Amino acid sequence: MEELTNIRQAREGDPEAFRALFDGHRQQVFALAYRYLRNRTDAEDVLQETFIKAYNGLPGYDPAKGLNFAAWLNRICVNASIDAMRRSKVRETGPLGPEEAAAMSAPSHSSDPERSARSAEIREKIDQALARLTPTQRMVFTLRHYQEYTTREIAQALQSSEGSVKKHLFRAVGLLRKHLRKYVVEDGYDL
Amino acid sequence: MTCKKARELMVLDHYGEAGAEDKARFDEHLGKCPACAAERSETRRLFALIDAHAAEDAPTPDWEKVWRGVRTGIAGERPTRQPALAPWRRWPFAGPALALVLVAGILIGRFGLAPAPRPAVSAAAAPSNGGAPNGIRPAFAAYLEDLKPILLDYAHYVPGEKAEGRVVVDESALRTLMLQNVLLKRKLAEKDPAAADLLDDLDLILKEIVNRGPNDTNSPAEIRDLIEKRDVLFKMEILKKT
């Protein structure tokens, strides 16, 4: 109820009401963008862009259509993230930023240094394999595997059909299997 | 069940999205097909590998810095919505659009795909055309013109409007436009990223139009929203002139 009031007031141009919406949803939007882009600065930019677009799009947002505000923001974030990834393709294949490199080399739960190094190597290979997917394949896989969206919810977020989402998902998994086969076989991961 | 269908189901099954009937047929297929059983095993191990090496949690951003950026972005603005054009201004463009598709195809064939002649002057002395390959710009502009009436029709869609008032473009024409999109993108991708991005958006929209079923009443509104959210018409106007 409070959120609806904030939406109405923000639509009238009240920045404080919009700030309340920002505070309530910033974490969820940032987590989605970061999971997809794997870069704090890019994810911050997408967070900012998402809320600016949301503000400008408020007159067109109608909660009565059944899409809640969080899902609507996620949809904007998804599109902004795909655009950001397209813009930063060159940077993406470049060296990691200090924060990402630190996260990559952070010790795992194991105290065995050799195992930690192996784990960091595999994590890097997974990131590289994800980076080799098309922006849409990557977003579909991110939303399904990490964010636990259903294919129907992804179709809504991407404004696409469920069949198309499934095709992207199958291709993404097929490509990941191809790029990571060496590690799947060598490390003998199984359920 | 075919192996192709089984490969798709092994992904859906992992995420708990295979229906009960499909799952039963899938399990039966695995019992008879060693290749698919091996592939399922490999897929499960892939997911185990990815889960075992999940990336670290997202860092905490500088919320205040981001909010200041948002404030700057919306400063002095009040949310507004562009008024839709009146229905009488919607153009019945199907015929001219198809004719233009043909013209654009000829232009692409003539200027876009033919090998570029060797330059008679040095690159330094050659006039700039804004970074786009010589000759492809007219084809790109013509392509945007072809698409405009179709996109305008969707951009001004109002839920509940009658189908007979809408522009009808048959599927083969849409597929021709998609093919032209691919050819143009191939030519423009390296030298004009903005045009290539727009072509990506247009490709997505065309696919949505092609894929919509005859009784799918939600698609026109979704396509309209897609056009609006990505500022496609605005970008088309800008890029057509550059």
Side-chain angles (χ1 to χ4, degrees):
Chain A
M1 200 64 183
E2 192 184 343
E3 182 167 272
L4 286 176
T5 307
N6 283 331
I7 290 169
R8 188 171 44 77
Q9 289 176 347
R11 202 181 275 153
E12 300 295 318
D14 178 353
E16 290 312 309
F18 193 63
R19 170 73 202 232
L21 293 170
F22 174 80
D23 287 343
H25 294 278
R26 63 191 188 184
Q27 184 68 53
Q28 144 227 332
V29 173
F30 179 76
L32 174 57
Y34 183 80
R35 175 63 78 181
Y36 182 67
L37 296 164
R38 309 295 307 139
N39 176 295
R40 175 179 163 168
T41 308
D42 287 348
E44 283 180 348
D45 287 348
V46 164
L47 173 65
Q48 186 174 307
E49 189 181 337
T50 298
F51 276 92
I52 291 172
K53 283 186 172 171
Y55 183 80
N56 291 323
L58 273 177
Y61 170 65
D62 182 4
K65 284 182 181 169
L67 191 64
N68 68 42
F69 190 66
W72 185 67
L73 280 176
N74 281 350
R75 182 185 281 188
I76 299 172
C77 174
V78 161
N79 288 326
S81 297
I82 290 175
D83 288 345
M85 187 180 160
R86 282 180 183 150
R87 282 197 299 267
S88 65
K89 262 182 185 164
V90 177
R91 187 151 39 104
E92 196 178 336
T93 53
L96 295 168
E99 202 163 59
E100 287 72 33
M104 212 56 102
S105 58
S108 70
H109 300 300
S110 165
S111 57
D112 179 352
E114 198 176 315
R115 198 163 173 181
S116 295
R118 178 68 173 168
S119 184
E121 181 195 344
I122 293 175
R123 201 178 298 151
E124 187 177 353
K125 293 295 173 192
I126 292 170
D127 269 7
Q128 285 173 359
L130 286 169
R132 291 170 76 171
L133 303 178
T134 66
T136 310
Q137 286 167 355
R138 184 170 168 181
M139 180 53 86
V140 166
F141 183 79
T142 300
L143 289 171
R144 178 57 270 199
H145 193 82
Y146 295 111
Q147 304 295 119
E148 299 183 0
Y149 278 44
T150 65
T151 49
R152 181 184 293 266
E153 288 166 339
I154 297 169
Q156 283 178 348
L158 292 177
Q159 296 172 293
S160 183
S161 68
E162 218 177 317
S164 170
V165 166
K166 284 178 182 171
K167 274 183 193 157
H168 283 300
L169 182 63
F170 304 149
R171 282 184 197 146
V173 172
L175 287 168
L176 290 174
R177 204 169 51 213
K178 181 178 157 194
H179 297 319
L180 296 169
R181 179 163 286 143
K182 178 179 171 230
Y183 298 92
V184 169
V185 173
E186 281 179 7
D187 287 74
Y189 279 90
D190 212 338
L191 293 177
Chain B
M1 174 174 289
T2 62
C3 291
K4 182 173 180 281
K5 178 76 179 164
R7 274 197 291 275
E8 294 176 355
L9 277 171
M10 66 183 69
V11 177
L12 293 180
D13 183 44
H14 174 80
Y15 292 119
E17 287 203 47
E21 197 179 320
D22 275 344
K23 182 161 172 49
R25 288 169 56 222
F26 171 60
D27 288 339
E28 187 188 338
H29 178 84
L30 288 184
K32 292 186 291 193
C33 179
C36 283
E39 197 164 327
R40 205 264 286 255
S41 167
E42 195 182 312
T43 302
R44 294 173 80 178
R45 284 189 285 162
L46 168 76
F47 287 128
L49 176 83
I50 290 172
D51 291 340
H53 297 280
E56 306 295 314
D57 287 340
T60 304
D62 183 344
W63 299 121
E64 287 309 312
K65 183 180 140 207
V66 176
W67 173 247
R68 280 197 299 277
V70 173
R71 273 302 294 263
T72 306
I74 64 176
E77 301 250 349
R78 187 178 166 142
T80 52
R81 188 177 179 84
Q82 294 286 332
L85 288 179
W88 58 267
R89 291 184 64 187
R90 291 178 205 158
W91 306 342
F93 274 134
L98 288 175
L100 285 168
V101 167
L102 185 63
V103 172
I106 292 167
L107 281 170
I108 290 174
R110 185 163 176 184
F111 298 110
L113 299 180
R118 287 178 179 279
V121 292
S122 71
S128 164
N129 68 346
N134 285 337
I136 198 68
R137 269 286 168 190
F140 178 61
Y143 179 74
L144 298 183
E145 277 300 307
D146 292 348
L147 272 174
K148 193 174 170 183
I150 301 168
L151 298 184
L152 276 174
D153 195 44
Y154 277 100
H156 300 136
Y157 170 77
V158 178
E161 74 177 9
K162 289 182 179 171
E164 56 263 32
R166 302 187 58 72
V167 171
V168 177
V169 183
D170 69 28
E171 191 178 325
S172 64
L174 288 168
R175 291 202 183 278
T176 305
L177 287 166
M178 287 164 69
L179 176 64
Q180 289 174 353
N181 187 306
V182 173
L183 297 173
L184 284 166
K185 209 161 28 182
R186 200 174 292 165
K187 280 287 175 187
L188 289 165
E190 284 185 10
K191 298 200 172 178
D192 194 341
D197 275 354
L198 174 61
L199 287 166
D200 273 339
D201 288 340
L202 293 172
D203 184 50
L204 181 65
I205 291 164
L206 285 170
K207 281 177 185 157
E208 287 296 323
I209 296 173
V210 168
N211 290 333
R212 66 173 289 227
N215 300 318
D216 187 351
T217 52
N218 291 327
S219 282
E222 287 172 1
I223 293 165
R224 177 199 61 200
D225 293 346
L226 193 58
I227 292 167
E228 190 178 304
K229 285 199 177 104
R230 298 198 174 206
D231 291 330
V232 168
L233 291 169
F234 176 72
K235 286 182 198 165
M236 283 170 71
E237 286 304 310
I238 297 295
L239 289 173
K240 200 168 61 183
K241 291 169 187 162
T242 53

